[in-house]
Amino acid sequence: MQEGTIFFLISWLTVWYIVFMDNKSPRQRRVHLTIILALLVCAGVYMNIGNIQVSLIWVPVLFWSFFQWRIIRNRDLFRVSVSVFGVMLAFACFRILTMLYPVWLFIDWKILCSLLVIAVSALFLKGPNMRLSTLIIGSLFGQMIFAVLLNINGMPINYLFSLESMDLLSLLVFMNGVLHLGERWLAKWSLRKSSMTVAARNRDIR
């Protein structure tokens, strides 16, 4: 699969959804469209940090991610830190595995890696925004660790957070949204089931 395909596909599908299916107010839709189009523009712009090219898209993405941490309470800080460390470790280990044993992978590594880090993050966090921010920050650190390991072993890279990383980013956003919708549906189903059980018990008592 060509690098960037997943990123651009999900981005334009999101634009289509906002334009034709979103029920939010026109102002909210304009804001969301502006954000997505700005990210698409930033995806093609790179900045040089030393000898490494870094995609500009990670500047607003990281700003948003760290901005979510403003609401973290002290008692939740440890859990968030463990989640970031777990995502970072899972990402780095999986990337090393895909490099050493690529023949094992029948599915694109980005899809499998997204599922893995989503599962790790879901073990510690429930809020969709906080979970997504830890996914982004953890995968960022994981990519940096992977790049350092490659450099130590004589395989330096000239870019970080390229179109391949944007594919992973878009998959993380998409899967996190699907997980959140599934959690909401499960909560409503459980509430409806408990309400039916209580109503049935009340009828039996009467």
Side-chain angles (χ1 to χ4, degrees), residues 87-98:
V87 170
M88 176 188 70
L89 191 62
F91 179 91
C93 291
F94 193 86
R95 285 298 281 127
I96 294 171
L97 179 66
T98 58

Side-chain angles (χ1 to χ4, degrees), residues 102-131:
V103 72
W104 287 6
L105 301 178
F106 299 100
I107 304 176
D108 194 295
W109 75 267
K110 295 184 287 291
I111 297 176
L112 296 177
C113 188
S114 299
L115 292 172
L116 175 63
V117 297
I118 282 280
V120 171
S121 178
L123 290 174
F124 301 100
L125 301 172
K126 295 182 179 179
N129 287 346
M130 185 58 64
R131 184 189 297 143

Side-chain angles (χ1 to χ4, degrees), residues 19 51 55 61 71 90 139 183 190:
V19 172
N51 296 324
S55 175
V61 168
I71 60 175
S139 63
E183 290 172 340
S190 300

Side-chain angles (χ1 to χ4, degrees), residues 4-160:
T5 301
I6 298 175
F7 169 74
F8 289 110
L9 176 62
I10 292 179
S11 297
W12 286 115
L13 285 176
T14 305
V15 170
W16 178 85
Y17 172 81
I18 293 174
V19 172
F20 296 105
M21 299 183 64
D22 199 355
N23 295 323
K24 294 183 175 64
S25 66
R27 181 179 178 277
Q28 288 179 306
R29 292 165 62 188
R30 285 195 298 269
V31 170
H32 293 164
L33 281 174
T34 302
I35 292 173
I36 294 174
L37 293 176
L39 290 176
L40 286 170
V41 171
C42 291
V45 180
Y46 287 81
M47 54 185 177
N48 292 323
I49 300 179
N51 296 324
I52 300 177
Q53 287 187 327
V54 180
S55 175
L56 188 62
I57 195 174
W58 285 93
V59 175
V61 168
L62 283 177
F63 177 80
W64 177 87
S65 300
F66 283 112
F67 185 72
Q68 303 303 312
W69 287 37
R70 75 193 189 284
I71 60 175
I72 298 178
R73 296 172 293 185
N74 291 333
R75 63 182 182 181
D76 296 329
L77 186 60
F78 176 76
R79 186 169 55 186
V80 173
S81 301
V82 170
S83 179
V84 170
F85 180 78
V87 170
M88 176 188 70
L89 191 62
F91 179 91
C93 291
F94 193 86
R95 285 298 281 127
I96 294 171
L97 179 66
T98 58
M99 186 175 181
L100 296 177
Y101 306 102
V103 72
W104 287 6
L105 301 178
F106 299 100
I107 304 176
D108 194 295
W109 75 267
K110 295 184 287 291
I111 297 176
L112 296 177
C113 188
S114 299
L115 292 172
L116 175 63
V117 297
I118 282 280
V120 171
S121 178
L123 290 174
F124 301 100
L125 301 172
K126 295 182 179 179
N129 287 346
M130 185 58 64
R131 184 189 297 143
L132 182 59
S133 71
T134 60
L135 286 169
I136 292 172
I137 296 171
S139 63
L140 166 69
F141 289 146
Q143 290 179 67
M144 294 175 66
I145 290 175
F146 180 66
V148 170
L149 291 175
L150 287 181
N151 188 66
I152 291 175
N153 288 277
M155 294 179 287
I157 62 175
N158 298 321
Y159 59 88
L160 276 176

